[in-house]
Amino acid sequence: MKGNRNIRKKYPIFVIILSTIVTYLPYFKNTFGIDTSTMIMDQRQMLEGYLSQGRFGIVWLYDILIHHYNNQLVPFIAIPLLAISGIYCYFIINKYDNKSSNFVTMLFTIAFINNPVVYSQLYFKMQTLPMIIGLICILLGMHLSLSEVRSWAKIIFISLLFAFSILIYQVFVFFIFTMMLFCLLIFKDKRQDILRAMLPSWLIAGVIYGLVYKLSALMIYYSTYGNETYMMWTQLGTVGGLQKVGAVVIAILAIAYAALVILTILRYRTGAKIDGLLLVLLLGSILTFNMAFGNIKAAPRVYLGTFSVVFAGIVYSFAKKGKEFKYLSVALTIVSMILTFSLSQKANASYANDVVLMYDVVAFATQNKILTPAEKETNLVFIGQSQVGNQGIIHKLQDIFITGATRTSFFQFDPPLTSVRPYDFLKIHGHDFKIPDQELRAKAAVMYSELPDYPNHQSMTFETETKTIIVKLSN
């Protein structure tokens, strides 16, 4: 009997580990994501980029722990750490929620760490380890908030944990808020402890980040990328009509959400039931990023923990309702794992397509007697963006999740007449073609627009006068 009890206690841990490894199995392949080549060639350049985006924690972790980035090693550290994070999450919920079975808590954990939005962030391998460390910081803060200890030292420590996670990636601020709502909903007898610890710690963490950001502004020139990409409130005069309508809808939702928060606080203070309101707030928290920035089409990766908590919370709620709903929660979890696995496979396939394209370009150069070091004197112009492996609705949906921008390919990601990513990718593989100036690129795009699209064998041509290889990918 004692042996059976031990098995019942330990089997969720084995299942969490196994499900994580299986879900992210394709991730172990040494493939390059967007900017990986730049990270390998010049780590400091990438870190300066992170600093310019206010992601100070990533830079600190690299400066202290990772002096030479190794892309191949990342999955062998990241996936075990992710599994450990899942086990820790399982332990926290299992300890403080006496009304849920081990099975229900296990399902929550698996859905929490094995979903497509988590993978959309892991795809960028050079920031994977810091992101998981940020996740662990939030789980530690959650655990401390649920503990019986009551002191200012506890709040200070939780504040530092939350602040460091936000310094790694700013959207963790929304993750912490959603996690706080989840804790308030699930751990009813701990609500006072949660509010006394998590709420002030979250607010203090935000202040700490703001101070670091302002002080760093004295030494760092901040990129406008974040504001230009996400902050729609300041761009309403320049965006199209549909985006303006979307921003108005988001504004109405933000006002309604703020009113609901105030109503929940007032009802809680009077001792009235707030479970229904908390549930609505939890579900609505998935849009907190949109409400903060007025953005109706944010990249999936920015939702990260917010999506994970809400999605896993839905699985958790279904699993507790009865046998039929338990089957539904299992089905949702399995579908999430399959979709995540398929996204990782998709990224690998896209990388393989890029490698083939690179070899085709090199083979064409060889046929025209352009060999190293002659490559350095030869211009290479890409017209359009590669469409190989991206036909069909399923691939288009996968593309949305993988990068949260367009597609996975270096030959698909940026406007081809300005991008340097394909050249970095070629260079890291030993092929150092000359990056043409803007005028030459634009001229070639017009002159050779009638070439057939790659992979047609006539999609490449060589212009001897300007020493330029032209590769027609698409219109």
Side-chain angles (χ1 to χ4, degrees), residues 278-385:
L278 283 173
L279 179 59
V280 175
L281 286 174
L282 177 63
L283 294 173
S285 70
I286 202 168
L287 295 176
T288 46
F289 179 92
N290 304 79
M291 288 185 274
F293 290 90
N295 196 308
I296 59 172
K297 54 177 184 178
R301 65 180 182 271
V302 303
Y303 297 99
L304 190 60
T306 304
F307 174 87
S308 294
V309 175
V310 173
F311 173 67
I314 291 171
V315 169
Y316 187 77
S317 299
F318 281 153
K320 291 176 68 174
K321 284 187 176 296
K323 194 172 183 179
E324 294 78 8
F325 285 100
K326 188 174 289 186
Y327 290 140
L328 177 59
S329 63
V330 171
L332 285 172
T333 304
I334 292 173
V335 167
S336 178
M337 291 172 59
I338 292 172
L339 180 55
T340 307
F341 182 92
S342 74
L343 289 176
S344 191
Q345 283 281 60
K346 163 66 177 173
N348 291 353
S350 181
Y351 175 81
N353 290 335
D354 287 352
V355 171
V356 171
L357 173 54
M358 176 187 69
Y359 284 140
D360 285 345
V361 171
V362 173
F364 179 82
T366 304
Q367 290 170 12
N368 286 273
K369 305 188 185 312
I370 303 167
L371 303 171
T372 305
E375 287 178 355
K376 293 184 179 181
E377 303 301 322
T378 305
N379 292 293
L380 178 60
V381 174
F382 294 101
I383 301 174
Q385 297 169 316

Side-chain angles (χ1 to χ4, degrees), residues 438-451:
Q438 183 62 30
E439 184 180 353
L440 179 58
R441 292 192 196 195
K443 183 179 178 182
V446 174
M447 287 183 62
Y448 297 97
S449 61
E450 298 303 318
L451 285 176

Side-chain angles (χ1 to χ4, degrees), residues 13-77:
I13 295 173
F14 294 121
V15 175
I16 291 167
I17 294 171
L18 182 62
S19 64
T20 305
I21 292 173
V22 169
T23 301
Y24 294 103
L25 197 59
Y27 188 72
F28 285 91
K29 186 175 181 180
N30 184 27
T31 57
F32 290 6
I34 303 301
D35 292 329
T36 304
S37 301
T38 305
M39 188 70 169
I40 293 172
M41 290 191 301
D42 191 346
Q43 180 169 309
R44 179 45 53 183
Q45 179 185 338
M46 277 302 303
L47 295 184
E48 292 295 331
Y50 284 134
L51 280 177
S52 74
Q53 295 176 24
R55 302 182 192 179
F56 311 102
I58 293 179
V59 179
W60 297 341
L61 287 171
Y62 266 100
D63 285 344
I64 296 170
L65 302 174
I66 311 170
H67 301 292
H68 301 287
Y69 176 74
N70 186 326
N71 192 66
Q72 193 167 5
L73 190 60
V74 168
F76 293 93
I77 301 173

Side-chain angles (χ1 to χ4, degrees), residues 92 96-97 138 141-150 154-155 158 162 176-203 268 274 278:
I92 296 170
Y96 293 103
D97 182 13
I138 292 173
M142 171 187 171
H143 190 184
L144 285 171
S145 298
L146 293 167
S147 68
E148 299 294 337
V149 179
R150 292 184 182 179
K154 169 183 168 179
I155 293 176
I158 297 171
F162 287 171
I176 297 167
F177 178 72
T178 303
M179 183 64 82
M180 181 167 58
L181 290 173
F182 174 78
C183 290
L184 288 170
L185 182 62
I186 299 301
F187 310 113
K188 296 179 184 180
D189 57 339
K190 288 281 184 180
R191 282 175 179 169
Q192 207 166 32
D193 292 327
I194 294 163
L195 287 172
R196 285 175 176 171
M198 286 191 85
L199 183 57
S201 299
W202 176 61
L203 295 172
Y268 177 73
I274 58 170
L278 283 173

Side-chain angles (χ1 to χ4, degrees), residues 34 123 346-347 349-351 353-354 357 382 384-391 395-396 399 402-403 405-416 419 421-422 454 473-474:
I34 303 301
Y123 167 76
K346 163 66 177 173
S350 181
Y351 175 81
N353 290 335
D354 287 352
L357 173 54
F382 294 101
Q385 297 169 316
S386 176
Q387 302 297 314
V388 175
N390 281 288
Q391 292 78 22
H395 287 303
K396 296 299 181 185
D399 292 337
I402 292 174
T403 67
T406 50
R407 305 181 181 91
T408 57
S409 170
F410 319 103
F411 303 94
Q412 299 165 344
F413 191 78
D414 290 324
S419 178
R421 285 185 170 103
Y454 178 82
L473 300 176
S474 70

